[in-house]
Amino acid sequence: MQELTGNLSGLKPSELKALERVYRRRIPPEAIVSSELAGYLCGISRDLERQVGILTNRRGDIEHVIVGDASRLFLPEVGRLRAGRGRFRGLRLVHTHLRNEALTRDDLVDLALLRLDLVAAVGVTRDGRPADLHVAHLLPSASGANPWAVLPPQPFRESAIDAAALVSALETEFDRATTLARDTRGSERALLVVVSTRRGQGDVRVSMEARVTELRELCRTAGIVVSDVVMQRRPEPDPKYLVGRGKLEDILVRAMQVDAAALIFDPELTPGQAHAIADFTDIKVLDRTMLILDIFAQRARSRDGKLQVELAQQRYRLPRLHEKNTMMSRLVGGIGGRGPGETKLEINRRRARERIHRLEEEIERFGRQRAERRSQRSKRGIPVVAIVGYTNAGKSTLLNTLTSSEVLAEEKMFATLDPTTRRLRFPREREVVIADTVGFIRDLPKDLAQAFRATLEELREADLLLHLVDAADPDHESQISAVERILKDLELGETPRLLVLNKIDLLPQEDRERLTHDPRVIAIAAEEAETVSPLLGAIEAALWREGLTV
């Protein structure tokens, strides 16, 4: 006999046996619920003064019998959705409503989040008989305000809905709608969730629109299709769900509407929030930091870069290792071990710490090799100029233009991760080493910054920094502040630097002329070699005429 679930406190043994007998019944596949079973459920519900519900499969077998309170049910764990993205779970929920009321929002949210075939409520009369039948099912269209349709209530005895035919027709429509909506390249679809609180993000507040634009660009770089964006302003972040439980339910319903396979949050989720949201839904849950790490993993080319990316990933994942299933604990150590031994979670954490230690040792070895190369370079007295700036500001393009190189340069964020150095010779038989570094981004995670030692070491050895800015970006002022803040955190605030505004060819003519004559900045278009002459003159003046080098 299957077990009862829900609110069983205070029930007599005879009442429990009456509920257990529900499992013996079957429902015709074409019926939402049989007249006999509806009458039986209504009688028990009236006697208990609690809602009683069942979850049935398409064969008519009853898989769960649930007892609620007077106003709602608490559904059991029904497992992860294993069917195709356009299909339902294969379960329908039928339960009683003591006051013959319409379906509640909780009923409809359960319908959407669990992707049930349908949900039905049977009203209960005063004498414990079926009153009206209330039915709702999902809709395939994502354009409506709600992803469900609530059918008009009917007296139970007059209802003639063919449940099997209805579900079959709905799944056909869902398959057609999701096939049309899905990206033809097979890219993963995601719903973006951007949350703003009074605390702001970092030291500099960034507008919601700028954050959404940046998150969209990160998704484009990672090969993710953005299905929709949800924005929320809160006084304080919810400690468990970031957005609050009710808002999270709305977000998950919207994700179902737009066929999103992942939720991407900005700002970064705490380990507790990541666990709680992941436990709440079957949809993949990421945050902005995880997205950046994924891009880094795609972009790393050198052995050193790949090791540094893996180190950042391991450091990020260690406090977030989570074991949902307590059945995974097992004995280790053989005979003579005390207690249950290490759980699978503890083993994973220990292995992660061991891997982090090995990665740090190998990265340290690469660091010593780089230090030796820098030492040889400094003995020859060659000054170093490092290009820094926000990601996608055009640093690699500028390096290619200055040194006639062919370093990878794409119109994507973090197109290059490994630091690249090239020599640049001036007309007066002087030369410098130009270093291209990984792009910065606001709220750069601490572990991520620490992991990229190669870039940071090049910056610390630099005699001059070129702070490159995308002048065509509407948010370039906050990007300048973000980069300056990162340089200060890296103790590079005193290093001489030049502010270089790039991509002026994308600006209106009047703005371009104004920047060209502004003595505080150097305005260039990195793709146009003829525009970088003032920059070369400024580099030479800063390094030699002002006595920074010999």
mmCIF file of all heavy atoms in Angstrom, residues 6-16 19 47-48 50 67:
data_model
loop_
_atom_site.group_PDB
_atom_site.id
_atom_site.type_symbol
_atom_site.label_atom_id
_atom_site.label_comp_id
_atom_site.label_asym_id
_atom_site.label_seq_id
_atom_site.Cartn_x
_atom_site.Cartn_y
_atom_site.Cartn_z
ATOM 1 N N GLY A 6 1.132 14.679 3.186
ATOM 2 C CA GLY A 6 0.457 15.929 3.530
ATOM 3 C C GLY A 6 0.217 16.083 5.015
ATOM 4 O O GLY A 6 0.972 15.577 5.862
ATOM 5 N N ASN A 7 -0.870 16.744 5.355
ATOM 6 C CA ASN A 7 -1.204 17.103 6.730
ATOM 7 C C ASN A 7 -1.992 15.960 7.391
ATOM 8 O O ASN A 7 -3.219 15.920 7.351
ATOM 9 C CB ASN A 7 -2.031 18.400 6.725
ATOM 10 C CG ASN A 7 -2.414 18.841 8.124
ATOM 11 O OD1 ASN A 7 -1.790 18.440 9.100
ATOM 12 N ND2 ASN A 7 -3.447 19.666 8.216
ATOM 13 N N LEU A 8 -1.280 15.033 7.984
ATOM 14 C CA LEU A 8 -1.915 13.844 8.575
ATOM 15 C C LEU A 8 -2.078 13.954 10.084
ATOM 16 O O LEU A 8 -2.614 13.029 10.714
ATOM 17 C CB LEU A 8 -1.081 12.601 8.257
ATOM 18 C CG LEU A 8 -0.790 12.340 6.767
ATOM 19 C CD1 LEU A 8 0.070 11.094 6.612
ATOM 20 C CD2 LEU A 8 -2.085 12.205 5.982
ATOM 21 N N SER A 9 -1.640 15.049 10.676
ATOM 22 C CA SER A 9 -1.701 15.188 12.135
ATOM 23 C C SER A 9 -3.152 15.223 12.604
ATOM 24 O O SER A 9 -4.022 15.860 11.998
ATOM 25 C CB SER A 9 -0.973 16.456 12.581
ATOM 26 O OG SER A 9 -1.587 17.603 12.022
ATOM 27 N N GLY A 10 -3.424 14.524 13.695
ATOM 28 C CA GLY A 10 -4.753 14.534 14.290
ATOM 29 C C GLY A 10 -5.750 13.596 13.656
ATOM 30 O O GLY A 10 -6.913 13.553 14.081
ATOM 31 N N LEU A 11 -5.367 12.842 12.651
ATOM 32 C CA LEU A 11 -6.315 11.932 11.995
ATOM 33 C C LEU A 11 -6.403 10.612 12.768
ATOM 34 O O LEU A 11 -5.397 10.074 13.238
ATOM 35 C CB LEU A 11 -5.874 11.660 10.554
ATOM 36 C CG LEU A 11 -5.855 12.861 9.603
ATOM 37 C CD1 LEU A 11 -5.498 12.404 8.193
ATOM 38 C CD2 LEU A 11 -7.182 13.589 9.605
ATOM 39 N N LYS A 12 -7.602 10.083 12.852
ATOM 40 C CA LYS A 12 -7.829 8.807 13.537
ATOM 41 C C LYS A 12 -7.383 7.659 12.636
ATOM 42 O O LYS A 12 -7.354 7.791 11.409
ATOM 43 C CB LYS A 12 -9.308 8.659 13.877
ATOM 44 C CG LYS A 12 -9.858 9.772 14.751
ATOM 45 C CD LYS A 12 -11.353 9.603 14.931
ATOM 46 C CE LYS A 12 -11.946 10.747 15.748
ATOM 47 N NZ LYS A 12 -13.413 10.624 15.863
ATOM 48 N N PRO A 13 -7.097 6.500 13.229
ATOM 49 C CA PRO A 13 -6.736 5.327 12.414
ATOM 50 C C PRO A 13 -7.812 4.964 11.395
ATOM 51 O O PRO A 13 -7.478 4.585 10.262
ATOM 52 C CB PRO A 13 -6.552 4.216 13.452
ATOM 53 C CG PRO A 13 -6.166 4.935 14.706
ATOM 54 C CD PRO A 13 -6.922 6.230 14.669
ATOM 55 N N SER A 14 -9.087 5.100 11.766
ATOM 56 C CA SER A 14 -10.159 4.782 10.817
ATOM 57 C C SER A 14 -10.161 5.760 9.646
ATOM 58 O O SER A 14 -10.431 5.370 8.493
ATOM 59 C CB SER A 14 -11.507 4.817 11.527
ATOM 60 O OG SER A 14 -11.751 6.116 12.081
ATOM 61 N N GLU A 15 -9.837 7.034 9.908
ATOM 62 C CA GLU A 15 -9.790 8.025 8.842
ATOM 63 C C GLU A 15 -8.595 7.761 7.922
ATOM 64 O O GLU A 15 -8.694 7.926 6.691
ATOM 65 C CB GLU A 15 -9.708 9.429 9.451
ATOM 66 C CG GLU A 15 -10.984 9.819 10.204
ATOM 67 C CD GLU A 15 -10.820 11.081 11.023
ATOM 68 O OE1 GLU A 15 -9.676 11.409 11.407
ATOM 69 O OE2 GLU A 15 -11.842 11.745 11.293
ATOM 70 N N LEU A 16 -7.474 7.375 8.495
ATOM 71 C CA LEU A 16 -6.305 7.042 7.685
ATOM 72 C C LEU A 16 -6.587 5.838 6.788
ATOM 73 O O LEU A 16 -6.200 5.826 5.611
ATOM 74 C CB LEU A 16 -5.101 6.762 8.587
ATOM 75 C CG LEU A 16 -4.551 7.952 9.391
ATOM 76 C CD1 LEU A 16 -3.468 7.493 10.356
ATOM 77 C CD2 LEU A 16 -3.991 9.029 8.466
ATOM 78 N N LEU A 19 -8.668 6.849 3.854
ATOM 79 C CA LEU A 19 -7.864 7.520 2.835
ATOM 80 C C LEU A 19 -7.000 6.517 2.070
ATOM 81 O O LEU A 19 -6.831 6.640 0.857
ATOM 82 C CB LEU A 19 -6.979 8.582 3.504
ATOM 83 C CG LEU A 19 -7.699 9.843 4.009
ATOM 84 C CD1 LEU A 19 -6.814 10.621 4.967
ATOM 85 C CD2 LEU A 19 -8.112 10.726 2.843
ATOM 86 N N ASP A 47 -15.974 15.221 6.061
ATOM 87 C CA ASP A 47 -15.811 14.675 7.412
ATOM 88 C C ASP A 47 -14.566 15.236 8.092
ATOM 89 O O ASP A 47 -14.588 15.550 9.290
ATOM 90 C CB ASP A 47 -15.712 13.143 7.351
ATOM 91 C CG ASP A 47 -17.027 12.490 6.944
ATOM 92 O OD1 ASP A 47 -18.081 13.163 7.050
ATOM 93 O OD2 ASP A 47 -16.995 11.334 6.490
ATOM 94 N N LEU A 48 -13.468 15.369 7.325
ATOM 95 C CA LEU A 48 -12.210 15.857 7.906
ATOM 96 C C LEU A 48 -12.134 17.374 7.978
ATOM 97 O O LEU A 48 -11.288 17.914 8.702
ATOM 98 C CB LEU A 48 -11.020 15.344 7.077
ATOM 99 C CG LEU A 48 -10.840 13.827 6.937
ATOM 100 C CD1 LEU A 48 -9.622 13.520 6.067
ATOM 101 C CD2 LEU A 48 -10.693 13.181 8.309
ATOM 102 N N ARG A 50 -10.980 19.094 5.641
ATOM 103 C CA ARG A 50 -9.684 19.373 5.005
ATOM 104 C C ARG A 50 -9.791 19.042 3.519
ATOM 105 O O ARG A 50 -10.588 18.196 3.128
ATOM 106 C CB ARG A 50 -8.566 18.522 5.621
ATOM 107 C CG ARG A 50 -8.389 18.668 7.112
ATOM 108 C CD ARG A 50 -7.215 17.826 7.589
ATOM 109 N NE ARG A 50 -7.157 17.774 9.042
ATOM 110 C CZ ARG A 50 -6.187 17.200 9.748
ATOM 111 N NH1 ARG A 50 -5.164 16.634 9.106
ATOM 112 N NH2 ARG A 50 -6.215 17.173 11.067
ATOM 113 N N VAL A 67 -3.377 14.953 1.776
ATOM 114 C CA VAL A 67 -4.295 15.619 2.696
ATOM 115 C C VAL A 67 -3.763 17.013 2.970
ATOM 116 O O VAL A 67 -2.576 17.180 3.292
ATOM 117 C CB VAL A 67 -4.435 14.837 4.017
ATOM 118 C CG1 VAL A 67 -5.446 15.526 4.938
ATOM 119 C CG2 VAL A 67 -4.867 13.401 3.747
#
